[in-house]
Amino acid sequence: MTEKTAGRSLGTVGIAVLIAAGLGYPILIVTARTLSPADNAVFLTFWGIVFGVGSTLAPVEQELSRLAAVADVAGKRADATALRTVAVAAAAVGLFGLLVALPPVSARLFGEHTVLALVALASGLAFAVQFGTRGTLIGFHEAKSFGGLVVTEAAVRIGLLGLFVVLGLNGVVPLAIAVAAGSFAFLPFGFRARKHLDLRGGAEPWGVVARRILVLMLSAGLTASVLTGYPAIVKLFATTREELEALSGLFLALTVARLPLLLLSPVQAMAVPAVVRLSQDEEGHGRLRALLVKGSAGAFGLAAVGAAFGWLIGPWVVELLFGSQYDVPGWVVAGLVWSSVLLGAVMLLAAVLVARTEGAKVLLLWALVAALSVLVLTFAPGDLVLRAVLGLVVAPTIGAFVAMAFVLRPGVRAETSTG
């Protein structure tokens, strides 16, 4: 692929991701104004699980794109390893979905709407195939098809949700079904991806495939627990309707604050090769180190400024967008903005570790962040909203310092060869 072609592909993908992210906000606005605060908290819990599973499955897209690119360079189609990768990921998602569907778990998460566990399970299984389709398309330079799939997924959700609202089907379950339907957007693109697969050829052993993708999914799952899945974790701690109503505004503000972080995926993809190139000589390594120091310091500065603005205007913005029934204190919005900025910094620093082939440190980093958020949520003093915000603030703050220590230690560079 030429540099010009690569630039066009990146532009196509970037525009598609921006459009898809933009289409996500109307869904949150419509559901917030249609559902009661308590029901919206249940809906946002479902949203967190669906997109938490989606974040966990992101490595499937990366792995399929790698397999596709290797095959494309060799002038071949991808072999059955691609199908085995998707199958293992789908099996893992299926087991998780069955766990969520257990009556004690689904009742705690969704209250009377326990059928949402089955809707989430169907969405997760479809997501596994969708990420495999996306990875195959982008690995074979099908940027337009990839972008079309990303936009179609978001358009199906907002279109079906709007239709349900117009028809009066505006309960938690119909709106959740509209969200889940987007996971099946791969169907029109499946034939295009299928032509790039040679399923009759050889494949890596199941054990090798399973170990590789499950380790990557575990790391991504830990990331998802503080990125999109946090409402589902907090929901497990809610024991009264009053707590659920108080959490509704928090969940809404958190979901809005986290949505832009989904745009970091292409940025992370660009960061890895950039780190490799800068690591080729001492001068480049020095520039990279200076960039990391300045970037890390800048992230803390941006987090502070963002938190200040969040405290001042955040409650007004939430009320303007979602209605006066959502009363979110300024300190809550400040904590969410601080958390989101530093979480983005941790994600980019983790990309540096990926470029250095230090997958174990990536896993350790996200395990620490996830564990800290749960520990603070469990043992910190105060009501549930305060504990939830503290967990969001403490975990990425400490995680940022740990990530900086990992990437800034002297004498470590990215791998610049395959030998």
Side-chain angles (χ1 to χ4, degrees):
M1 178 186 286
T2 66
E3 184 175 344
K4 184 176 180 180
T5 303
R8 284 200 302 265
S9 297
L10 181 60
T12 300
V13 172
I15 292 171
V17 172
L18 285 171
I19 293 172
L23 291 174
Y25 284 107
I27 295 176
L28 299 175
I29 294 173
V30 169
T31 54
R33 291 184 171 274
T34 302
L35 301 172
S36 68
D39 282 347
N40 196 41
V42 173
F43 174 82
L44 291 174
T45 300
F46 170 83
W47 176 285
I49 289 177
V50 166
F51 288 98
V53 170
S55 297
T56 303
L57 286 166
V60 175
E61 180 181 13
Q62 298 164 17
E63 181 63 11
L64 265 290
S65 67
R66 184 188 69 83
L67 294 170
V70 169
D72 185 51
V73 168
K76 301 177 181 179
R77 293 187 292 170
D79 63 26
T81 301
L83 182 61
R84 292 187 177 188
T85 300
V86 173
V88 171
V93 169
L95 289 175
F96 173 77
L98 291 176
L99 175 64
V100 172
L102 291 174
V105 180
S106 60
R108 191 60 180 267
L109 287 170
F110 307 119
E112 63 186 89
H113 307 291
T114 54
V115 70
L116 291 180
L118 298 179
V119 179
L121 173 59
S123 176
L125 293 174
F127 251 146
V129 182
Q130 179 167 161
F131 275 98
T133 302
R134 283 168 49 165
T136 303
L137 290 172
I138 200 64
F140 281 100
H141 313 313
E142 300 261 14
K144 289 184 179 179
S145 296
F146 177 91
L149 174 50
V150 171
V151 173
T152 299
E153 175 190 345
V156 166
R157 289 196 180 98
I158 188 64
L160 194 58
L161 184 138
L163 177 62
F164 284 174
V165 170
V166 169
L167 294 176
L169 302 173
N170 52 8
V172 175
V173 175
L175 299 184
I177 290 174
V179 170
S183 303
F184 293 85
F186 68 89
L187 291 172
F189 300 85
F191 290 107
R192 193 165 188 89
R194 174 65 180 84
K195 73 177 185 178
H196 295 299
L197 301 177
D198 180 11
L199 303 182
R200 296 171 298 176
E204 293 183 80
W206 281 99
V208 173
V209 173
R211 282 192 297 272
R212 182 169 59 230
I213 194 62
L214 290 178
V215 168
L216 292 173
M217 288 179 62
L218 176 58
S219 180
L222 293 170
T223 309
S225 70
V226 290
L227 181 62
T228 52
Y230 195 70
I233 295 175
V234 178
K235 177 65 169 57
L236 294 173
F237 290 80
T239 57
T240 66
R241 185 176 181 85
E242 289 73 19
E243 284 184 330
L244 194 59
E245 291 179 349
L247 287 173
S248 180
L250 170 66
F251 288 175
L252 194 58
L254 174 63
T255 304
V256 171
R258 290 293 194 253
L259 200 57
L261 292 181
L262 299 179
L263 298 176
L264 278 181
S265 178
V267 179
Q268 287 177 290
M270 294 167 60
V272 173
V275 171
V276 172
R277 287 194 297 270
L278 286 171
S279 299
Q280 291 181 354
D281 53 47
E282 286 296 335
E283 181 182 357
H285 183 64
R287 295 209 317 269
L288 173 61
R289 186 177 179 84
L291 181 62
L292 291 172
V293 171
K294 292 177 182 178
S296 298
F300 278 94
L302 180 60
V305 173
F309 274 99
W311 194 309
L312 291 173
I313 67 172
W316 173 79
V317 172
V318 170
E319 183 175 341
L320 176 67
L321 291 176
F322 304 110
S324 58
Q325 68 269 36
Y326 296 101
D327 182 17
V328 182
W331 62 267
V332 169
V333 181
L336 297 181
V337 174
W338 172 276
S339 167
S340 294
V341 173
L342 290 189
L343 189 58
V346 175
M347 293 171 70
L348 291 176
L349 291 171
V352 178
L353 296 174
V354 171
R356 294 174 175 173
T357 64
E358 295 184 303
K361 285 188 171 59
V362 176
L363 183 58
L364 176 62
L365 173 62
W366 288 115
L368 174 66
V369 172
L372 282 172
S373 66
V374 174
L375 287 173
V376 173
L377 178 62
T378 304
F379 297 109
D383 60 31
L384 186 54
V385 172
L386 175 60
R387 298 191 334 255
V389 174
L390 283 176
L392 288 171
V393 169
V394 171
T397 301
I398 295 178
F401 283 111
V402 173
M404 289 165 58
F406 282 164
V407 302
L408 294 176
R409 69 192 191 283
V412 181
R413 297 189 191 176
E415 294 289 338
T416 58
S417 68
T418 58

